Amino acid sequence: MNNQSKVETVEHTAINQRTITNSKESVTLKNKKKLKDAGLFALFVGPVFLAFTLIVLVPFFTGIYYSFTDWNGITGDIKWVGLDNFKYLFTEDKQFQQSFLLTTKYTVVAIILTNVIGFGLALLVTQKLKASNILRTVFFMPNMVGGLLLGFIWQFIFVKGFASLGELTGIPFFELAWLGDAKTAFWGIVIVSVWQGAGYIMIIYIAALQNVPQELIEAAKIDGANRWQILRHITMPLVAPAVTICLFLTTASSFKIFDANLSLTNGGPFKSTEMLALNIYTEAFVNNRYGIGEAKALIFFIVVAAITVLQVTISKKREVES
């Protein structure tokens, strides 16, 4: 019995040692796999994260620091002024306040028109038309032209083209001083921006409309539903996620409008069409008041971020309810 017990003890000891060895090998393999995964992650994500840090994060936090200084953007003399820049913007800088209100007005108008026209174009080209592919290309082409170039092209159209048409036809619409009057210049910027952006929004709506089950539409037609009822009660709820995306894109792009504003009117006449992005650019790089320009940019960032987050939250909630 004693010999048998000794043999069993030796066997148990050997088994335990093998178990411990296997466990250590398993832990070692897992650690190697984790290190390998971490290495691959760093290899693929590291360069992008480094570029993002150098191009976005560092300038962003540096800009926040400069917003509390009176730096002119050129010299090395940087003086900390605290909240003085922000007090100046909200109490004395009337042009900043005017630009902010004008940008808000423009954003509301551009969001509505761009989405309505984009959705209408998407409905048009998703019909069974022979020229639907050609129409998609034509409607999307303005989005491929740069904003500055597009603005200069439309500047020629508003100033020269419309004037010539007005002389030939006598139609008052073409005889307006489109870029010489504050009201018409504002609508000129809206026309160019919507004309450029509607085609891009159209593509997103097309993708959403093509995913609407045709069985539901056919069943609704059999039940006697007209086109408006089908659009309202079937199509719109099913394309709600696309509406959320398009509202987010148009909100962000409308608030940040710069190139069309610069090339069309350059803020004129008499700064009556100077949007917020152009106002910030002028303050920092034309007036050489970089600290105040950064303060404006920081306020601009906070407002745009808050509005877009609020818009996405409300839109997502409506998606769930519908």
Side-chain angles (χ1 to χ4, degrees):
M1 294 292 295
N2 292 334
N3 292 333
Q4 186 177 356
S5 297
K6 290 180 179 180
V7 171
E8 290 177 354
T9 301
V10 172
E11 290 178 352
H12 283 301
T13 303
I15 292 171
N16 291 333
Q17 288 178 347
R18 284 197 298 270
T19 302
I20 293 171
T21 302
N22 291 334
S23 298
K24 289 182 178 179
E25 290 178 354
S26 177
V27 171
T28 303
L29 289 173
K30 287 182 179 179
N31 290 335
K32 287 182 178 179
K33 188 176 184 304
K34 288 181 179 179
L35 288 174
K36 183 180 178 181
D37 292 341
L40 289 173
F41 181 81
L43 179 63
F44 286 102
V45 179
V48 177
F49 180 74
L50 180 62
F52 179 78
T53 301
L54 294 176
I55 296 173
V56 178
L57 294 183
V58 172
F60 177 76
F61 289 108
T62 305
I64 292 176
Y65 166 73
Y66 286 135
S67 67
F68 296 96
T69 68
D70 66 346
W71 189 39
N72 61 8
I74 300 174
T75 65
D77 184 19
I78 302 174
K79 180 182 177 182
W80 181 268
V81 296
L83 297 175
D84 289 351
N85 289 337
F86 299 93
K87 292 178 182 178
Y88 169 77
L89 296 182
F90 289 110
T91 57
E92 300 180 34
D93 196 341
K94 302 300 180 183
Q95 183 58 44
F96 173 73
Q97 299 169 19
Q98 178 182 333
S99 297
F100 192 92
L101 293 175
L102 181 67
T103 305
T104 303
K105 175 185 174 183
Y106 164 80
T107 300
V108 173
V109 174
I111 288 172
I112 295 172
L113 291 180
T114 303
N115 280 276
V116 170
I117 294 175
F119 186 73
L121 295 176
L123 285 175
L124 174 64
V125 299
T126 50
Q127 304 300 316
K128 295 179 180 179
L129 301 175
K130 292 183 178 179
S132 61
N133 290 331
I134 298 175
L135 291 175
R136 293 184 190 191
T137 304
V138 171
F139 295 148
F140 183 75
M141 280 181 65
N143 188 258
M144 301 176 66
V145 183
L148 282 173
L149 180 60
L150 201 64
F152 287 123
I153 292 172
W154 272 92
Q155 185 185 69
F156 175 80
I157 293 173
F158 282 131
V159 176
K160 300 294 184 179
F162 279 17
S164 299
L165 289 174
E167 292 177 0
L168 291 174
T169 61
I171 299 175
F173 177 83
F174 296 114
E175 295 178 343
L176 296 173
W178 274 96
L179 301 182
D181 182 76
K183 294 181 179 179
T184 52
F186 170 80
W187 287 105
I189 297 172
V190 171
I191 290 171
V192 175
S193 301
V194 172
W195 185 72
Q196 182 185 27
Y200 180 77
I201 298 302
M202 174 196 71
I203 297 298
I204 300 174
Y205 282 130
I206 288 174
L209 288 171
Q210 288 177 339
N211 288 327
V212 175
Q214 293 299 314
E215 296 81 4
L216 292 177
I217 297 177
E218 292 174 0
K221 289 180 179 179
I222 293 172
D223 291 337
N226 55 37
R227 291 186 177 181
W228 168 248
Q229 291 172 329
I230 293 172
L231 178 65
R232 180 181 177 185
H233 297 290
I234 296 177
T235 305
M236 290 304 298
L238 292 176
V239 300
V243 174
T244 301
I245 296 171
C246 291
L247 287 176
F248 171 78
L249 292 174
T250 50
T251 300
S253 62
S254 298
F255 261 110
K256 296 185 295 183
I257 181 174
F258 173 77
D259 43 10
N261 188 197
L262 177 66
S263 56
L264 273 174
T265 65
N266 197 22
F270 305 109
K271 293 188 177 295
S272 60
T273 61
E274 187 178 71
M275 302 290 180
L276 202 51
L278 181 58
N279 178 261
I280 294 170
Y281 169 82
T282 304
E283 193 71 73
F285 300 108
V286 178
N287 299 336
N288 290 329
R289 298 202 292 180
Y290 198 86
I292 295 177
E294 283 292 350
K296 291 181 178 183
L298 181 58
I299 295 172
F300 187 35
F301 168 77
I302 293 172
V303 171
V304 173
I307 290 175
T308 50
V309 169
L310 181 63
Q311 175 264 311
V312 171
T313 303
I314 294 173
S315 300
K316 286 292 183 182
K317 186 181 294 184
R318 288 184 176 178
E319 285 180 29
V320 175
E321 291 176 354
S322 61

